[in-house]
Amino acid sequence: MSDSMVDERVTDEIEALKAILLDDELSIKENDRGEPEYIETILFPSTGEDSQSQYVCVTLVVQLPYGYPDVSPNISLRNPRGLDEDTVRLMQSDAEAKCKDFIGQPVMFELIEMIREHLTRSNLPTDQCAVCLYGFREGDEFTKTECYHYFHSHCLAAHVAAAERYYREEQEKLPQWQQDTTNKFQAICPVCRESIHCDVESLWSAPPPIDVEAATDFSVTAELKELQKQMAALYLRQQQRGGIIDLEAEGVKMLLRTEDDTAVSTERLNPPSTSLNTYANQSMQSVTQQSSNNTQNQPRQFHHNHHGHNNHGHRNRGRGRAHYRRQFDKMRHTETTPR
């Protein structure tokens, strides 16, 4: 098959995609030769015109290798929202199988329709609520944020209310002139930290999640006690290896201590009431006295040697000067004496 036929098929497929999909739903990246290399589109469930009922989505990225469509393209699913890993892996495997079945002809429309069917069947969040860490069950009221993250309505209301209360408390600690210039509270997504807009009062009206209501009270089980023992042993082992940071020691690590501070610290560590400390203090005093005597003798000996060395040097230097003076005098006397 010639290159012109391949280019024509790819060109027709790209033109059809541009005509059907919106500009904000389709992104085409070309290579240096101006040929399409990557096709990226965001896919949603088929819910008609009710976009508020679209609870899941995924981004389809198709890499068109050289020779496409006679060569199978590379498929990747990115930024899944409301989908668990098993569902994403199933869509990935089905998309790869679809590409192999359609080798020799364009496959973009087939991929888009197949993934939309998966999203429509899975149009219910299958991951966990990031606030309570429970899943979504039939009968739970949940909320979808602008960034396509899902929370139980009751959980999101509790999170936003707690965040706003903390914001107010921190704001009241500021001076009045700073309180007047601070920004208003803005709720953010607990997952991606994007700004979100929600009605806390309406969210509070939703009942708590079913799993939260059915959860039993916390109790320390035998399994938890065994885990505590393992963690305690691990802590001691890490502490012996220096892996545990002593916050008190780190706080005074760069502190400069004077002699008075050292003496006070020594007295605190070694109280004078014990016999062992008394013996240690006596030994320290004897060593200190002996060192003091040696220190006093050393300067005298050094001073004596210093003077002796200087006297010896002066004698040599005096003898040298007189010797050379006599030689020069003798030489001058010899030159001036007539023969």
Side-chain angles (χ1 to χ4, degrees):
M1 187 174 295
S2 63
D3 293 342
S4 60
M5 294 180 61
V6 174
D7 294 339
E8 183 179 357
R9 288 180 294 174
V10 174
T11 302
D12 293 341
E13 185 179 29
I14 297 299
E15 293 297 330
L17 289 175
K18 291 181 179 179
I20 296 175
L21 300 177
L22 300 177
D23 294 338
D24 56 349
E25 296 178 351
L26 180 65
S27 175
I28 300 175
K29 180 180 178 182
E30 298 179 349
N31 55 20
D32 298 337
R33 298 185 300 272
E35 301 173 352
E37 185 176 10
Y38 288 94
I39 299 177
E40 181 176 336
T41 179
I42 303 176
L43 301 178
F44 302 91
S46 299
T47 58
E49 298 180 357
D50 187 8
S51 60
Q52 297 298 325
S53 299
Q54 296 175 344
Y55 301 116
V56 294
C57 68
V58 70
T59 300
L60 171 64
V61 180
V62 180
Q63 180 185 9
L64 305 180
Y66 179 78
Y68 173 81
D70 295 327
V71 178
S72 179
N74 299 321
I75 306 298
S76 62
L77 300 176
R78 301 177 182 176
N79 302 325
R81 294 292 185 265
L83 302 170
D84 57 7
E85 296 180 357
D86 294 336
T87 303
V88 175
R89 282 195 293 265
L90 178 60
M91 289 192 298
Q92 179 76 29
S93 61
D94 290 348
E96 293 175 355
K98 181 70 68 174
C99 291
K100 293 180 180 179
D101 294 339
F102 276 75
I103 291 180
Q105 53 184 326
V107 71
M108 283 297 304
F109 283 102
E110 299 294 334
L111 289 175
I112 292 175
E113 290 301 322
M114 185 203 66
I115 294 177
R116 277 181 177 171
E117 292 178 1
H118 274 284
L119 296 177
T120 303
R121 291 194 301 266
S122 304
N123 194 21
L124 182 69
T126 55
D127 51 358
Q128 295 178 342
C129 173
V131 178
C132 68
L133 301 182
Y134 283 103
F136 299 93
R137 298 184 59 181
E138 191 70 27
D140 284 340
E141 294 188 16
F142 59 90
T143 301
K144 178 189 68 175
T145 60
E146 296 93 327
C147 49
Y148 271 82
H149 289 117
Y150 303 91
F151 310 92
H152 295 111
S153 300
H154 188 273
C155 296
L156 184 60
H159 171 78
V160 174
E164 185 175 5
R165 182 172 60 255
Y166 176 78
Y167 182 86
R168 302 301 181 193
E169 293 175 356
E170 294 298 320
Q171 188 180 31
E172 291 176 357
K173 297 178 183 179
L174 299 176
Q176 186 62 40
W177 65 272
Q178 286 187 342
Q179 294 183 17
D180 298 337
T181 57
T182 54
N183 298 328
K184 295 182 179 180
F185 171 76
Q186 174 61 56
I188 60 176
C189 175
V191 177
C192 65
R193 300 297 187 266
E194 290 289 336
S195 299
I196 59 176
H197 302 84
C198 56
D199 187 0
V200 178
E201 294 183 0
S202 62
L203 293 177
W204 270 124
S205 61
I210 297 176
D211 289 336
V212 174
E213 290 293 307
T216 58
D217 296 335
F218 174 77
S219 61
V220 180
T221 61
E223 182 181 359
L224 183 57
K225 291 182 179 179
E226 182 64 25
L227 180 61
Q228 289 177 341
K229 292 181 181 179
Q230 296 177 4
M231 293 296 103
L234 178 61
Y235 177 84
L236 293 177
R237 184 164 63 252
Q238 293 293 337
Q239 190 177 31
Q240 293 174 357
R241 295 182 178 181
I244 305 299
I245 298 176
D246 188 352
L247 297 180
E248 183 177 357
E250 288 292 324
V252 298
K253 181 173 63 175
M254 305 302 295
L255 181 63
L256 297 178
R257 296 185 179 275
T258 61
E259 295 181 357
D260 296 338
D261 295 336
T262 306
V264 172
S265 300
T266 305
E267 292 178 359
R268 291 178 180 177
L269 294 175
N270 300 321
S273 58
T274 59
S275 59
L276 180 61
N277 291 324
T278 303
Y279 173 76
N281 292 334
Q282 292 177 356
S283 301
M284 183 63 68
Q285 291 177 1
S286 61
V287 172
T288 304
Q289 184 176 2
Q290 183 178 1
S291 300
S292 177
N293 295 334
N294 294 335
T295 304
Q296 293 177 359
N297 294 332
Q298 286 179 357
R300 293 178 182 177
Q301 184 178 1
F302 174 77
H303 185 70
H304 175 74
N305 292 338
H306 179 70
H307 281 287
H309 176 73
N310 286 344
N311 291 336
H312 182 69
H314 282 301
R315 287 196 298 270
N316 290 338
R317 186 169 55 186
R319 289 179 181 179
R321 287 182 178 180
H323 176 70
Y324 287 121
R325 186 181 299 112
R326 286 193 296 269
Q327 284 187 350
F328 282 119
D329 291 343
K330 185 177 180 180
M331 290 173 62
R332 285 193 295 270
H333 179 71
T334 304
E335 292 177 357
T336 55
T337 302
R339 295 180 180 179

